[in-house]
Amino acid sequence: MDSLGDTLWDVVICGTGLQQSLLALSLSRSGKSILHIDPNNYYGGADAAFSLQEAETWASSITAATDNDRGTFKSASITKPDGNTGLSFPRAYTLALSPQVIHARSKLLSQLVSSRAYRHVEFLAVGSFYIFKPTTRSSQKPSLVRIPSTREDVFFTTAIPTKAKRGLMKFLKFVLGYDSEQQLETWQPYADGPLADFLKNEFKMDAELQTYILALTLSLDGLITTRDGLSTIYRHLTSMGVFGPGFAAVYPKWGGISEVAQVACRAGAVGGAVYMLATGIREMEMSGDSIELRLTSGDTVKTRMLVRNDKNAEVGNGVSRLAAIVGSPLKSLFEALVEGAPLPAVAVITFPAGSLMTTSGKAYDYPVYAFAHSSDTGECPVGQSILYLTTSTTPDAKEILAQSLQLLSEAIDADHIPLSLFQMYHEHGRGSVASRPDGSIFNFPDASLSLLFDDSTLEPVHEAWKQVMGEAEVDTDYMTFPDREGVMDDEDMYD
Amino acid sequence: MADQGGSAHGIARASRVRTEEQRKVELDKIAKYRELEDQVRSSVARGDTGPDLFQLTSKLLRLNPEYYTVWNVRRRLLTSGLLSKPSAASSPLTASLTASPTATTTPPSAASSSSSLSATQPSHASPTAGRSGTTADSPVDEAKTSTADATPRAAAVVAVVAGQKKDFDILKSELEFTIPLLLDSPKCYWIWSYRLWLLQQVIDRLSVPVARRVWQEELGLASKMLTRDRRNFHAWGYRRHVVAQLESPRLGGGSMVEAEFEYTTRMIRMDLSNFSAWHSRSKLIPRLLGERGADDSTRKGFLDEELGLIREALNVGPEDQSLWYYHQFLILNLVNPVGHPTLTPAFTLEDRVTYVTREIQDIKELLEDYDDVKLIYEALLEYTLYLGQLQGRKLDGAEKDELAEWLQKLKKLDPMRNGRWTELERECGLVEMESFGN
């Protein structure tokens, strides 16, 4: 049997998060010798998705971690009510650690198509985006209002007065041409300031309309810049209807991004890469042109290049997340509201900054975002749903998330608050944000905390690919492959 | 290869650059196609009628659904053998079916497409002989067998039922055959024509409840095609034809006006910019109100609702011509009551003036936020002139000032039609004759 140590590997990739996995996919036809390892015994890294058993194991490991080997996760805890709640067996669930939704026009999807990896992923529709409206004097219970983002939505909604509708239409039209010279002049002065100011000054939008627009950006601090905000809303608007009527974003079935990472790794394996889970790097030594790695498995390997997560990264304040399995299908969230639209499997709810109060009576200044997943995602059994709540980490975050869960249930159906069958809370720190090439070591930035898939995540992958390919890069199209043999296509009609 | 048969809405034609390899692949495809075509032609020339030729037509039509001669070959195969032989008593029916020109040899022009689609139907219409069913329906059979033995008659019934089952299976499978072709080429006349022919066979050969179910599924298909391309006019015309059949006594139907009206509402909700949906809606309204037995106050209420709806739509889409078209339909209903069907026959002149005046006011509000949309100015112009006509008076000073202002705007926004705007200025007495050539 060949020993791992016999080869001079072209690249060793450490970690199977999305970026490393996409790198493996991009190299899957290159003929390069690739050893792909992960210290975890599961794929996906920070983008992983767990069965309940795996989630419990993971949470324990986070709690048990000492300050020395503390990574980007902390304060993980699991709550399960006692008795027979209707919780099914552990493998019936897939909890995504870092759920994200992907705009139809995202570059990730076009790369998955051109690399043919899309054939192994099933994409589900992300339907309505809602705003949470707290109890007011005139309404006894909280409610959810759908955010209109197409002309037809604006026409149909009763939540916005006539004149405000015209203002909203003007803004939507503006965004569609926002990178033209004329529009650029209008927003350049506001480019690095908050989008909210731009909306107020240039479009005379009142606070309510501003929250509608901001909610479409899923901005974690609510302070997204005009430049980034316009770009995100532009992508949302132009993604509408691309894959079918009524939706602008998709979610991969069976755990979201983790599924994409697994499919990418599988493609890497088909292309000849060797995979080893539960294997990390114990020691590293530069020797001439190559790097010598002593792995935790006991093997010693030599490689030309190493790709990994940045070990020098400082971990700062990130996000707090609460994943709750509830015993109700929450049907009203997953209706197809447009003729011919598929039934959505994911709904997005925004609690705007200031709409929630801490127990000490202060208004909570950060937005909270909730993803509701139906059983169509494959993440829970029929009759149940998963609510993923996210907010920036603050001292009040944990309590606020619990409150949001309760209020969300009330807003959906105040008369039938579903039972919470399982809850997992954790904090995900913010690590490095940029890639850091370092000679023959390429350091990927930390996993993105963004709730909307951020295309800029793809750039470091391309950079790493270029470095691995070296001169061969010039003649090759990045992430563009023909189908492997045996795949069906139109040509069969001619036989 | 099957073409889209004209561009699908919103998709640009792309010119392709071919590599040498792609060119070879295409030459290969062409050679295979030609070979297939030769096989079909020679088989037909030999007078073949077997399943081999049928399979060949399937292959060829998948590659080129526009090859209408081959559709005719297929039809003849069906009527001359694959579909059940009619009993001797109904042979005149068979003769009429094969003799009538099913596919027109010249492509119907776009304007008359819906009429040509429905024109294929009358050529098959033979009301009494069309009803296949038990032998009791056929008077000739009845006469022939009334004094005969029970056994041959029972056997005849069994044979007819078996024949119907066979026909049903064949016709269903043929309908399914056309589906992927339609999905690829949703505007190919020949596929639609073949489908219609099959559906007519369904009416002629199968029992009423079975036939009705098939036609109802057809309505489902029409909806699906319209969801894929809301402005596929073939699909709208087709839908109207299917609805008309389902409403007809031949399929035991009743009026479907309410459901169809609701359908236009759903289509509009899906996409405001839909001429065909608004047009259908306008055509359905008179019948709808008639069937509802609407009295004058109900009619007024209905008009108010429609005006409210279109006003909301214009509020978000003033640049959309299909919306203005519908608004104009409603206004003309108020302005042209003499000699034209109107939704509100009980309206007095005063009522009409009130409504038109209010509409003009509401449209002016749009100018607050949309000051560069030419269709708004055109509407204001037109409706102000209507108002004058309605009241049988000339425009007053204030109105003339407004008109002049709007025409100035239109000259800026739509300079290509300056000739028209200038002429309107003259007609309304807004400029002196000497300014000709400004």
Side-chain angles (χ1 to χ4, degrees), chain A residues 331-347:
Chain A
K331 276 205 164 65
S332 61
L333 288 181
F334 304 112
E335 286 166 349
L337 290 164
V338 174
E339 189 79 17
L343 219 55
V346 175

Side-chain angles (χ1 to χ4, degrees), chain A residues 146 151-156 162-163 165-167 169-170 173 245 337-340 491 493-495, chain B residues 1 29 32 59 63 227 266-267 269-273 309 312-313 315-316 319-320 365 368-370:
Chain A
R146 217 168 147 263
R151 186 177 61 170
E152 283 69 25
D153 282 346
V154 180
F155 159 67
F156 202 66
T162 305
K163 183 150 171 77
K165 282 192 185 186
R166 295 201 284 263
M169 284 312 301
K170 279 171 75 178
K173 242 165 121 191
L337 290 164
V338 174
E339 189 79 17
E491 307 305 311
M493 277 208 291
Y494 281 88
D495 297 327
Chain B
M1 272 304 287
K29 285 190 195 178
K32 283 200 182 135
K59 276 187 158 183
L63 293 178
T227 304
R266 291 210 308 273
M267 283 290 107
R269 166 75 183 93
M270 194 175 153
D271 183 357
L272 284 177
S273 179
L309 183 76
E312 279 295 312
N315 191 42
V316 299
E319 69 290 327
D320 199 311
E365 240 185 69
E368 278 172 30
D369 292 289
Y370 305 119

Side-chain angles (χ1 to χ4, degrees), chain A residues 317 320 358 362 364 366 392-400 425 427:
Chain A
N317 249 10
S320 297
T358 64
K362 264 188 4 222
Y364 187 64
Y366 289 91
S392 296
T393 302
T394 63
D396 297 308
K398 189 167 186 186
E399 169 219 314
I400 282 285
Y425 172 82
E427 286 162 24

